[in-house]
């Protein structure tokens, strides 16, 4: 019971202060559960990190459930994932449900703040893309990989880019799913090619499937139970939404920010409008702590449920279903990989997919950046703030965020507060 209490307080604490995304939380969680509370050893924690890195889904939830499983079994597994996910998801739904009660003046200030948030998000996405380029800077295929990044961006975000610069022409737009499926198919074909001289195979230890099946079954039951309220209120809509939510979670390679591209491709505009997604939900999930995947699915669930059922209660029920999908999909597949990753890391196809996904995601993140810029322009431009002024403000704040991040070594919270303050002050001053 003592370990369960320590696990509860530790994961809830990290869930409340967890700004910066999955990779940023790795040292935070380690400090809490390895060094301070000593819930798991460094070796056990490293195993969780390796399995979570190889797994799609929300990395913080996966690590939390892994720590919980190692220190308190299946009960700890559920408690760890829940405590990590709940604060951010609950705050997201609370803020979305409260937007209707805000008057126009307050909404205008939130819109002004979106310029600063856009600049901050662009900085984080840039860091990921630069990390990809740095990772493959010595590869003989580096030029080819750069071309893939640019090509993916032009295929998925070229149309948005034309709209931003007011070009007199447009280009076709391919969906995120189309690009991902083609890429994965190519990676599988490439990974199955003959390997030349056969290498001496290492002996692989036998693995018991009983804990894998048992743990996966628990997460499936968790998903079903939390989805019951939504199924009772909106049966057909819940089934379709849950399928999209589970599929999007399993496609979520590359971290929380990359998930926004997946969500855009799968949920906009069928479940949530583009305006509500970029102008409300993206803004909210990026100023709150916690997993972006979990917050996004909970928020989309609320928006869809409220529109489909006509009340906040149907919104809350569908938000709970989205919350359940994000946790069950992330932690369920993590639980499987946790037990069999020793096998998977030896399979060439899996290795190729893992490498290619990061490159593709980098191109998709450029599309997210373009979408955020376009959304910021559409939301804030008027007679006092013409579109080119808004665009200039975004890039000035973006440059400032890069300076604070790389030179000032500022924490994410400091960067967010500075960006918010400057964007709101500048827009109010110019718009007077």
């Amino acid at each position: 019971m003592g370990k369960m209490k320590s696990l509860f307080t530790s994961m809830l604490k990290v869930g409340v202060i967890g700004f910066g995304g999955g990779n940023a939380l790795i040292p935070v969680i380690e400090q809490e559960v390895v060094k301070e509370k000593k819930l798991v050893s460094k070796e056990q924690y490293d195993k969780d990190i390796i399995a979570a890195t190889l797994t799609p889904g929300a990395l913080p939830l996966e690590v939390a459930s892994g720590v919980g499983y190692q220190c308190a079994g299946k009960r700890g597994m559920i408690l760890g994932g829940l405590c990590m996910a709940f604060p951010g998801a609950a705050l997201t739904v609370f803020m979305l449900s409260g937007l209707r009660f805000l008057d126009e003046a307050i909404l205008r200030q939130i819109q002004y703040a979106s310029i600063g948030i856009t600049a901050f998000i662009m900085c984080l996405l840039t860091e990921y893309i630069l990390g990809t380029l740095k990772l493959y800077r010595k590869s003989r295929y580096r030029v080819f990989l750069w071309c893939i990044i640019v090509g993916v961006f032009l295929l998925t975000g070229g149309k948005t880019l034309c709209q931003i610069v007011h070009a007199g022409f447009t280009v076709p737009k391919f969906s995120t799913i189309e690009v991902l499926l083609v890429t994965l198919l190519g990676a599988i074909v490439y990974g199955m090619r003959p390997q030349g001289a056969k290498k001496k195979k290492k002996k692989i230890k036998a693995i018991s499937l009983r804990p894998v099946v048992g743990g996966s079954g628990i997460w499936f039951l968790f998903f079903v139970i939390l989805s019951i309220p939504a199924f009772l209120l909106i049966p057909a809509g819940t089934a379709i939404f849950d399928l999209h939510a589970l599929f999007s979670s399993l496609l979520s390679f590359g971290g929380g920010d990359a998930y926004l591209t997946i969500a855009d491709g799968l949920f906009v505009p069928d479940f949530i409008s583009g305006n509500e997604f970029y102008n409300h939900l993206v803004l909210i999930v990026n100023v709150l702590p916690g997993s972006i995947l979990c917050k996004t699915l909970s928020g989309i669930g609320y928006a869809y449920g409220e529109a489909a059922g006509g009340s906040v209660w149907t919104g809350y029920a569908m938000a709970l279903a989205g919350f359940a999908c994000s946790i069950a999909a992330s932690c369920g597949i993590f639980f499987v990989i946790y037990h069999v990753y020793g096998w998977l890391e030896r399979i060439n196809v899996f290795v190729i997919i893992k490498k290619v996904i990061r490159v593709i995601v980098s191109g998709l993140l450029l599309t997210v950046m373009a979408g955020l810029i376009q959304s910021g322009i559409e939301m804030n431009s008027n007679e006092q703030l013409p579109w080119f002024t808004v665009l200039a403000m975004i890039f000035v704040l973006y440059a400032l965020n890069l300076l604070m991040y790389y030179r000032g070594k500022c924490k994410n919270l400091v960067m967010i507060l500075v960006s918010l303050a400057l964007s709101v002050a500048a827009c109010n001053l110019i718009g007077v």
Side-chain angles (χ1 to χ4, degrees), residues 148 150-159 171-175 179 367:
I148 291 179
V150 175
V152 169
F153 168 56
L154 293 178
L155 288 174
T156 58
K159 184 176 181 179
V171 296
K173 180 179 180 179
F174 294 84
S175 70
V179 173
T367 300

Side-chain angles (χ1 to χ4, degrees), residues 41-58:
S41 67
K42 182 66 168 62
E43 292 73 20
Q44 290 174 316
Y45 184 72
D46 288 341
K47 182 179 179 181
D48 290 332
I49 297 302
I50 294 172
T53 303
L54 294 172
T55 308

Side-chain angles (χ1 to χ4, degrees), residues 113-296:
S114 69
I115 295 178
I117 293 297
T118 293
F120 169 73
I121 297 171
M122 288 171 61
C123 176
L124 296 184
L125 301 186
T126 300
E127 194 277 333
Y128 183 95
I129 296 169
L130 292 178
T132 301
L133 297 178
K134 183 179 180 181
L135 181 64
Y136 296 110
R137 70 182 185 277
K138 295 183 179 180
S139 172
R140 58 178 177 173
Y141 300 112
R142 60 183 179 277
V143 176
F144 176 67
L145 297 177
W146 298 343
C147 292
I148 291 179
I149 293 175
V150 175
V152 169
F153 168 56
L154 293 178
L155 288 174
T156 58
K159 184 176 181 179
T160 303
L161 181 62
C162 291
Q163 294 172 343
I164 291 174
V165 299
H166 288 66
F169 60 91
T170 186
V171 296
K173 180 179 180 179
F174 294 84
S175 70
T176 300
I177 301 304
E178 290 171 336
V179 173
L180 281 174
L181 289 178
V182 171
T183 302
L184 292 177
L185 179 61
I188 291 173
V189 172
Y190 181 80
M192 294 177 66
R193 77 195 193 286
Q195 298 298 303
K198 293 184 178 180
K199 296 181 179 180
K200 185 178 180 181
K201 294 182 179 180
K202 296 180 180 180
K203 186 177 180 180
I204 300 176
K205 295 181 180 180
I207 184 170
S208 174
L209 294 179
R210 185 174 179 180
V212 176
V213 174
S216 301
I218 288 175
W219 285 118
F220 178 76
L221 186 63
F222 172 88
F223 153 71
V224 171
I225 292 174
L226 266 64
S227 295
I228 288 176
F231 271 109
L232 293 176
L233 296 173
I234 314 174
T238 301
I240 297 173
F241 172 77
D242 280 355
L243 287 174
H244 280 71
L246 291 171
F247 184 57
S248 71
S249 299
L250 297 178
L251 286 176
S252 181
F253 288 90
D257 294 316
Y259 178 72
L260 295 176
T261 66
I262 306 295
D264 184 2
L266 281 175
F267 295 101
V268 179
D270 295 333
F271 295 88
I272 185 174
S273 68
N275 176 68
E276 192 169 10
F277 179 76
Y278 278 109
N279 295 344
H280 293 161
L281 183 58
V282 171
L283 168 65
I284 289 172
V285 301
N286 280 285
V287 299
L288 294 177
S291 160
I292 287 182
L293 186 154
C294 188
K295 291 181 293 184
T296 301

